[in-house]
Amino acid sequence: MAFDIEMIEKVYANMAARVDKARDLVGRPLTLSEKILYSHLWEGMPSQSFTRGKDYVDFAPDRVACQDATAQMALLQFMHAGKKTVAVPTTVHCDHLIQAKSGAEADLAFANKQSKEVFDFLSSVSNKYGIGFWKPGSGIIHQIVLENYAFPGGLMIGTDSHTVNAGGLGMLAIGVGGADAVDVMSGMSWELKFPKLIGVKLTGKLNGWTAPKDVILKVADILTVKGGTGAIVEYFGEGAESMSCTGKGTICNMGAEIGATTSTFGYDDSMRRYLAATGRQDVVNAADKVASYLTADAEVYANPAQYFDQLIEINLSELEPHINGPFTPDRGTPVSKMKAEAEANGWPIKVEWGLIGSCTNSSYEDMSRAASIVRQAVAHGISPKAEFGINPGSEQIRYTIERDGIIADFEKMGTKVFTNACGPCIGQWDREGADKQEKNTIVHSFNRNFSKRADGNPNTHAFVTSPEMVAALAISGRLDFNPITDTLINDKGEAVKLNPPFGDELPTKGFDVKDPGFQAPAADGSSIEVVVSPTSDRLQLLAPFDAWDGKNITSAKLLIKAFGKCTTDHISMAGPWLRFRGHLDNISNNMLIGAENAFNGKANSVKNQLTGAYDEVPKVQRAYKAAGIPSIVVGDHNYGEGSSREHAAMEPRFLGVKAVLVKSFARIHETNLKKQGMLALTFANESDYDKIQEDDTINFLDLTEFAPGKPLTLEFVHADGSKDTILANHTYIDSQIGWFVAGSALNLIAAGKS
């Protein structure tokens, strides 16, 4: 039986009436995305039609999921809410704090010792407040959610940007910051601007070396890292129905890389097969009763241009395997063009590592298709030219692929089998030699490939591709190897051409697992005590942020003018900093250390206007805070793209930054800033970015008149006494201005006013 089957059945019981009412209100057929949104309104039965990209709407998500790095801060905030238990089904998954180095057994043992305090905290808080807890080694959050909790037509939020993976099972699953999660866990509504809709029509069928991964790599190349911002991507067509459920999950997962709110597919037979195989036939039985409501109305897919704000069409039969990168996931190169591209750009041709796994590509099908390439190489006497590593998506996956001989196949090539955890995908990789910062190339099946993300080396050229292509490129040792046309030389000097990959969508013997790693919460957690040591360097109880004093912010200093790409990895790095995710003061020492200073081209080097000397960003900001001087941060386009980590908003708030003024925001980060009581502003005129000077002092002229739809006026006073007055737009509505006034959204919850 599925977890929370009663909740799922309740969703389905309400869906038909709510969708029918919404269809009447809107006055036209509905997309799947609209059906799910309108059936999850906080008010229940729809009473009005909403305008895409304009109206802020309150929703009632069905569940919440948190991973261990973000769960620490989310649960520390939830403890302030004064609730006895969570209001909706919630889970915590320990997958981020396990470093890949020696192999699964040794790495897990080390993590359990090194992060015992954090794991014990998460376990006890989960036990106390009715939260399901998945222990270290149980698997990666999004694979666990797909295997156990996702269901067609549901709405969930998660404190990780790749929560969107659950779209592979027909959900709307959306990444958020911890404060949003706390709202929902506390029994409150969740607010979202009603998204625009991008339709992707898939015709034909995948064949040969092409995989579901190539669909999203192609879409990313088309839309870029910000092309999906504020939109839901809905996939449909015969090509969509021909793919596996986990393949759909891969496509939805990387929707985070185009800035999309989320991505989804309509309910079909692949989802029925997957639900049944993972022990959830009861969900299939319930979903089948409302199947027509779990996909778009027929008229929508027949005439998609009339119903989507943007339409993309991809013929899967003609789609070529892609290799995206380096340094950004939206730079797509078809495999046939990689040789020329690599030569033209000076990319290192030799592949040093091939890595398969992460939440994006760690399913049974992914592992079995990659293993089919490995088996061919072993059978033909071909030795791999690159090192190889895999991260199974869950203990259920690991146990099953071990039973079926797939792990043994990988190990015959010397593959390192890492823990069922995120590992290198999020920088949790102790890669030997990375500290030398040598220029090199790695290929992986992960979702992100920003500079320094995997191993901390800014000169590592990371390329994203499918698991089967990772296997082929790692075996060949060459980035420009095209398995469709090229051959390899075996130990006898013979030229061998690899056959296209093959593998089972689902295990023919069924899934199996001895201990999945799940801890159910106590039936009554009222007597459970959660202890946080006041001397801990890993955990720190939170103090409320100060409320706004009602005055204009004046004499603020420019902390940094960030140039170019500034992701949440640049604002709050992961890797070794993950250990401080539960200690706001300590982790604030990584604030903006990866951002490039527009005035000197350096990272972590800004001018301290109090001394005139250059120093590390956190140190300069702490000096301003100690002197009682406010500051602001200026940034470029798509500021805060990438991970949903709210630490990127909490750290500047904690250290005294008052506002972030940029050309444009990534959706989650903008919301995170608002939730923490900060001002998230955009240039009314983007060229004003160029007017900002290094020694600027900033005065807000009309913050006392802060109101929805009314730009704010900022005065930038330069070192020579000259001034520039700049208009800054914002997207605050009345309730969000209330967060700013109170000091944070959490302050309102704790006061019982929200």
Side-chain angles (χ1 to χ4, degrees):
M1 178 180 288
F3 285 97
D4 310 311
I5 185 62
E6 296 85 1
M7 177 269 287
I8 296 171
E9 290 175 337
K10 183 178 178 181
V11 170
Y12 291 157
N14 292 325
M15 180 164 274
R18 293 180 179 182
V19 171
D20 289 345
K21 179 65 173 178
R23 193 185 292 110
D24 290 341
L25 290 167
V26 175
R28 57 167 173 76
L30 298 177
T31 64
L32 168 63
S33 303
E34 290 171 315
K35 289 182 179 182
I36 298 176
L37 291 171
Y38 275 106
S39 65
H40 284 83
L41 297 175
W42 181 252
E43 64 180 341
M45 189 64 69
S47 61
Q48 67 180 101
S49 173
F50 296 106
T51 303
R52 300 175 190 169
K54 179 180 179 181
D55 292 334
Y56 280 89
V57 183
D58 289 333
F59 293 100
D62 300 313
R63 64 176 313 109
V64 175
C66 310
Q67 39 92 335
D68 50 352
T70 54
Q72 296 172 62
M73 199 58 69
L75 294 181
L76 284 165
Q77 292 178 84
F78 180 74
M79 290 168 65
H80 276 280
K83 307 294 182 180
K84 292 183 178 180
T85 187
V86 290
V88 301
T90 302
T91 52
V92 166
H93 305 258
C94 296
D95 61 356
H96 274 55
L97 299 179
I98 305 169
Q99 188 176 56
K101 181 179 182 180
S102 304
E105 186 174 349
D107 293 346
L108 180 58
F110 181 78
N112 276 321
K113 180 179 179 181
Q114 182 188 52
S115 296
K116 183 180 186 301
E117 178 186 16
V118 173
F119 294 147
D120 287 349
F121 166 76
L122 295 174
S123 174
S124 63
V125 174
S126 297
N127 207 18
K128 181 176 182 64
Y129 293 107
I131 299 169
F133 181 72
W134 290 83
K135 303 173 186 177
S138 61
I140 305 172
I141 176 173
H142 311 304
Q143 181 66 30
I144 293 287
V145 166
L146 199 70
E147 291 177 0
N148 295 275
Y149 299 109
F151 66 97
L155 175 67
M156 71 171 286
I157 61 171
T159 60
D160 188 284
S161 56
H162 293 106
T163 299
V164 295
N165 188 80
L169 251 175
M171 292 194 87
L172 289 187
I174 301 173
V176 299
D180 277 349
V182 170
D183 284 354
V184 177
M185 288 190 286
S186 300
M188 296 167 52
S189 63
W190 172 64
E191 184 182 74
L192 177 72
K193 183 184 288 187
F194 205 88
K196 293 184 177 180
L197 300 177
I198 298 173
V200 180
K201 182 179 181 179
L202 302 178
T203 61
K205 188 175 183 180
L206 295 171
N207 63 87
W209 282 87
T210 309
K213 184 80 162 196
D214 296 304
V215 176
I216 185 58
L217 295 179
K218 178 66 175 177
V219 170
D221 187 49
I222 294 170
L223 289 176
T224 77
V225 291
K226 58 181 181 179
T229 303
I232 293 175
V233 182
E234 187 170 322
Y235 294 85
F236 62 94
E238 61 180 358
E241 294 179 7
S242 70
M243 286 189 293
S244 67
C245 178
T246 53
K248 292 178 172 71
T250 291
I251 293 170
C252 292
N253 184 298
M254 272 196 70
E257 273 51 75
I258 58 173
T261 301
T262 191
S263 304
T264 194
F265 287 78
Y267 181 50
D268 63 12
D269 285 340
S270 73
M271 298 181 191
R272 292 182 176 93
R273 293 192 298 272
Y274 187 75
L275 286 165
T278 51
R280 292 175 285 172
Q281 183 62 46
D282 49 352
V283 176
V284 176
N285 297 340
D288 281 347
K289 295 176 183 177
V290 291
S292 65
Y293 292 91
L294 302 177
T295 189
D297 290 332
E299 298 93 331
V300 171
Y301 292 162
N303 299 288
Q306 297 180 27
Y307 300 98
F308 291 98
D309 298 294
Q310 183 177 353
L311 182 64
I312 297 170
E313 186 168 339
I314 299 173
N315 186 339
L316 301 185
S317 300
E318 299 174 355
L319 183 63
E320 191 176 342
H322 275 58
I323 304 169
N324 283 29
F327 307 127
T328 186
D330 62 346
R331 182 172 184 166
T333 303
V335 64
S336 64
K337 297 181 180 179
M338 178 52 78
K339 183 177 180 64
E341 280 291 301
E343 289 178 355
N345 290 282
W347 298 334
I349 294 296
K350 182 183 178 184
V351 174
E352 305 284 350
W353 267 90
L355 297 156
I356 296 172
S358 91
C359 60
T360 329
N361 279 110
S362 53
S363 68
Y364 185 90
E365 182 181 41
D366 292 327
M367 296 296 175
S368 64
R369 283 175 62 86
S372 75
I373 305 304
V374 171
R375 280 195 296 271
Q376 291 183 60
V378 171
H380 288 292
I382 300 170
S383 299
K385 302 302 188 292
E387 294 189 74
F388 221 148
I390 63 170
N391 287 81
S394 68
E395 175 59 14
Q396 178 169 268
I397 296 293
R398 189 211 62 80
Y399 192 94
T400 304
I401 64 174
E402 182 178 51
R403 179 202 67 191
D404 293 351
I406 293 174
I407 285 184
D409 289 332
F410 278 115
E411 290 179 333
K412 289 174 184 176
M413 292 207 86
T415 304
K416 276 192 176 181
V417 181
F418 296 123
T419 313
N420 315 318
C422 302
C425 180
I426 60 162
Q428 281 286 51
W429 184 22
D430 188 358
R431 182 185 178 188
E432 185 176 352
D435 57 325
K436 298 177 182 178
Q437 299 198 356
E438 295 176 339
K439 188 176 180 180
N440 74 103
T441 284
I442 65 174
V443 293
H444 59 58
S445 68
F446 307 157
N447 37 46
R448 292 192 175 130
N449 57 347
F450 303 141
S451 175
K452 299 189 283 187
R453 181 173 173 91
D455 61 3
N457 178 2
N459 299 311
T460 292
H461 291 54
F463 293 85
V464 182
T465 190
S466 67
E468 39 271 73
M469 281 295 298
V470 169
L473 296 177
I475 290 166
S476 72
R478 293 186 63 84
L479 180 65
D480 60 357
F481 176 69
N482 183 349
I484 301 172
T485 58
D486 299 347
T487 58
L488 299 171
I489 304 301
N490 68 6
D491 54 6
K492 297 178 181 178
E494 301 167 335
V496 177
K497 187 176 181 182
L498 297 172
N499 293 322
F502 64 92
D504 292 324
E505 172 187 324
L506 297 164
T508 56
K509 298 178 184 178
F511 286 108
D512 197 7
V513 64
K514 185 176 180 180
D515 177 10
F518 176 70
Q519 170 189 292
D524 180 2
S526 58
S527 63
I528 296 172
E529 184 178 4
V530 179
V531 178
V532 174
S533 170
T535 60
S536 172
D537 68 351
R538 298 290 300 272
L539 297 166
Q540 180 186 49
L541 294 176
L542 297 175
F545 291 132
D546 291 337
W548 178 45
D549 63 7
K551 302 176 182 178
N552 281 318
I553 297 169
T554 58
S555 301
K557 299 299 183 183
L558 175 71
L559 174 62
I560 185 173
K561 178 180 173 180
F563 175 77
K565 187 182 285 287
C566 191
T567 72
T568 49
D569 278 293
H570 295 86
I571 305 168
S572 176
M573 288 185 177
W577 291 95
L578 283 172
R579 67 189 305 266
F580 298 122
R581 283 284 181 87
H583 198 293
L584 185 54
D585 195 6
N586 284 346
I587 199 168
S588 293
N589 289 322
N590 78 358
M591 185 192 72
L592 284 159
I593 63 175
E596 179 182 338
N597 182 354
F599 299 110
N600 60 15
K602 297 180 180 179
N604 205 22
S605 175
V606 296
K607 189 173 186 179
N608 183 335
Q609 293 192 46
L610 301 180
T611 65
Y614 286 84
D615 208 336
E616 298 171 2
V617 182
K619 289 184 178 179
V620 172
Q621 181 54 40
R622 286 185 185 275
Y624 292 156
K625 181 179 181 179
I629 298 172
S631 65
I632 78 165
V633 167
V634 171
D636 215 318
H637 277 298
N638 209 29
Y639 184 88
E641 73 170 278
S643 168
S644 67
R645 67 191 67 154
E646 66 181 340
H647 298 77
M650 296 187 76
E651 291 172 31
R653 177 73 169 101
F654 175 73
L655 291 183
V657 177
K658 299 298 183 183
V660 179
L661 173 63
V662 300
K663 293 180 181 178
S664 64
F665 282 108
R667 175 189 62 85
I668 299 175
H669 188 62
E670 180 181 19
T671 301
N672 285 347
L673 290 169
K674 291 179 179 181
K675 286 276 184 176
Q676 300 304 330
M678 291 188 68
L679 293 169
L681 310 173
T682 56
F683 289 100
N685 184 345
E686 288 185 6
S687 64
D688 286 344
Y689 171 91
D690 299 322
K691 297 178 180 178
I692 310 302
Q693 299 179 22
E694 191 170 27
D695 294 299
D696 281 351
T697 297
I698 304 98
N699 300 309
F700 284 74
L701 303 183
D702 52 6
L703 184 59
T704 53
E705 301 167 26
F706 193 16
K710 183 179 184 297
L712 291 174
T713 309
L714 283 68
E715 179 185 70
F716 284 76
V717 183
H718 309 307
D720 63 2
S722 63
K723 301 176 182 179
D724 276 303
T725 300
I726 290 173
L727 279 183
N729 293 332
H730 64 83
T731 60
Y732 286 78
I733 59 176
D734 283 327
S735 60
Q736 296 171 340
I737 291 175
W739 303 340
F740 171 74
V741 172
S744 72
L746 183 60
N747 286 355
L748 286 180
I749 295 175
K753 297 179 180 179
S754 180

